[in-house]
Every structure is written in C-alpha cells, then in structure tokens.
C-alpha cells in the first residue's frame, strides 16, 4: 500500500506536468523569501481614507448699478466726415474774378498741364465744372461736398449730366485719394469731360 503523498503527486502530475509544478513552487518560494527580506517596506503605512468634499457656502455679492452718463455726440465738420468715409471732398470753386480776355490766353488748368502738374490740372478742371454747375443754379456751393454727393445732387436737377460727373469724379478720386500717378491721358480725359458738361448745360439752357 503506497503512501498518500505518492498518490497526490501522481494525481497532480496528471493535471500539471511535474517540471512546471516544480518551477511554480520555486517561484512561490522566491516571492516568499523576498517578502520576508523586505518586510515591512512593502506594507502601506496609511490606509486610504474616503474624503467627503462638502460644498462651501457662497456669500451673496452686492452689485451696485450706477447710472450711465450719456455725453452729447460731437458732430465733425462735413470735410472731416468726408475724409473719414474715405472719399475726397470736391474742390470749392473760388469766386469768379473778371480777367481781361487776351488772344492766346490759356486757362489755369492748361498752364498746370503744360508744366506737367497733371493732378493739379485735373483738380482745377473739376473746380471749373463745379463752377459751371453753380452758375447754372444746378447745385449750391457747399464746403466738404464729395464727388458722390455732387453727382447725386446735380442728377436730380439735370439727369443727363450724371455719366459725365461720375466719370470726372472717378478720375479725381483715383488721383487725389488713391494717390495714383497722374498722366497726360487723365488731363485729356478730364478736359473732354469738362467740354461735354458745358455742352450739355448749354443745350439744356437753350431748350428751356
């Protein structure tokens, strides 16, 4: 009759191979030896405690609403308003002074163009166009008026002058606002537009 441990080893060998069982026993002995050697370093000193965080009572804040002070708005002059909107103001024509007519007399715009000052010549021709509209009582001279306002006001009285004034205003804005270099072509185009405007005003005056 065999001993009980012989039967137990035989039963264990049927489930787990004996070399693997010996290796597992060796690892268990090694872990037990390490735990005994490093005791009590691996034992936690403090056990975790559950912490309950209660909401803190909030103190009511006092808000004082002060009345708003409304200051009156300052209205800028029309010339500054036109500059702020990004559109140059139309040059106001100077009062006409009688000059003695002489043969071969050239206008101020022609003299500026002859000197190569084409941007100033364009401005002078636009000023002459505004003077013609004022003389015909189409518009009233108003400092700070932009080219868009000039075209709108003049077109209400004389609708036929809208294309001419619009083209002249575009040239004037390109040179004096966009700061594009002026060329003789700009002056020639502006001179033709001024001639067209004078002709349209004269034809309309004859019909009336």
């Amino acid at each position: 009759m065999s001993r009980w441990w012989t039967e137990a080893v035989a039963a264990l060998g049927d489930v787990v191979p004996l070399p693997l069982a010996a290796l597992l026993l060796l690892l268990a002995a090694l872990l037990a030896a390490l735990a005994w050697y490093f005791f009590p370093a691996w034992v936690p000193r403090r056990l975790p405690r559950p912490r309950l965080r209660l909401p803190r009572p909030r103190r009511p804040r006092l808000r004082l609403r002060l009345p708003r002070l409304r200051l009156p708005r300052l209205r800028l002059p029309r010339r500054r308003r036109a500059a702020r909107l990004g559109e140059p103001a139309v040059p106001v024509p100077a009062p006409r002074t009688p000059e003695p007519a002489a043969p071969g007399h050239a206008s101020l715009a022609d003299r500026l163009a002859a000197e190569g000052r084409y941007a100033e010549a364009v401005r002078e021709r636009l000023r002459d166009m505004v003077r013609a509209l004022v003389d015909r009582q189409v518009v009233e001279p108003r400092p700070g008026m932009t080219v868009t306002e000039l075209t709108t006001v003049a077109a209400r009285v004389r609708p036929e002058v809208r294309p001419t004034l619009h083209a002249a205003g575009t040239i004037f804005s390109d040179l004096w606002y966009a700061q594009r270099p002026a060329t003789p072509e700009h002056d020639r185009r502006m001179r033709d537009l001024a001639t067209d405007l004078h002709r349209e005003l004269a034809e309309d005056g004859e019909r009336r």
Side-chain angles (χ1 to χ4, degrees), residues 1-205:
M1 185 176 180
S2 60
R3 299 182 179 181
W4 63 269
W5 60 270
T6 304
E7 295 178 357
V9 170
L12 180 63
D14 295 338
V15 179
V16 180
L18 293 179
L20 180 60
L23 181 61
L24 293 176
L25 291 175
L26 181 61
L27 290 176
L30 180 61
L31 292 176
L34 291 175
W36 179 263
Y37 181 79
F38 291 103
F39 180 83
W42 52 273
V43 178
R45 296 181 180 180
R46 295 182 181 180
L47 297 178
R49 297 179 181 179
R51 295 182 180 181
L52 298 179
R53 294 183 179 180
L54 299 178
R56 296 181 180 179
R58 295 183 179 180
R59 298 180 181 179
R61 296 181 180 180
L62 298 179
R63 296 182 180 180
L64 299 178
R65 294 184 179 181
L66 300 178
R68 296 182 179 179
L69 299 178
R70 295 184 178 180
L71 300 178
R73 295 183 179 179
L74 298 178
R75 294 186 177 180
L76 300 176
R78 293 183 179 273
R79 181 169 297 180
R80 293 185 179 179
R81 289 175 59 189
R84 182 181 58 184
L85 294 176
E87 189 175 359
V90 176
V92 180
R96 187 186 297 273
T97 56
E99 296 180 357
H105 175 71
S107 64
L108 177 59
D110 294 336
R111 293 197 299 269
L112 292 174
E115 296 175 1
R117 300 158 62 180
Y118 300 110
E120 298 179 16
V122 168
R123 182 181 60 183
E124 187 61 29
R125 296 189 192 281
L126 180 61
R127 183 181 286 115
D128 182 68
M129 296 170 69
V130 176
R131 185 183 296 110
L133 294 173
V134 173
D135 293 342
R136 295 282 183 172
Q137 297 181 354
V138 179
V139 297
E140 296 181 359
R142 187 176 61 186
M145 179 182 293
T146 63
V147 289
T148 303
E149 294 175 351
L150 174 67
T151 305
T152 303
V153 174
R156 292 175 183 173
V157 183
R158 304 286 179 84
E160 65 275 5
V161 301
R162 177 187 291 273
T164 304
L165 292 178
H166 178 72
T170 302
I171 297 175
F172 177 76
S173 299
D174 290 343
L175 299 183
W176 286 93
Y177 174 64
Q179 298 297 324
R180 295 182 179 177
T183 61
E185 180 63 23
H186 291 121
D187 178 67
R188 185 193 64 79
R189 178 60 178 161
M190 200 69 175
R191 183 173 62 252
D192 295 342
L193 292 173
T195 304
D196 295 342
L197 179 65
H198 286 287
R199 185 181 67 254
E200 292 170 355
L201 294 177
E203 292 176 355
D204 187 77

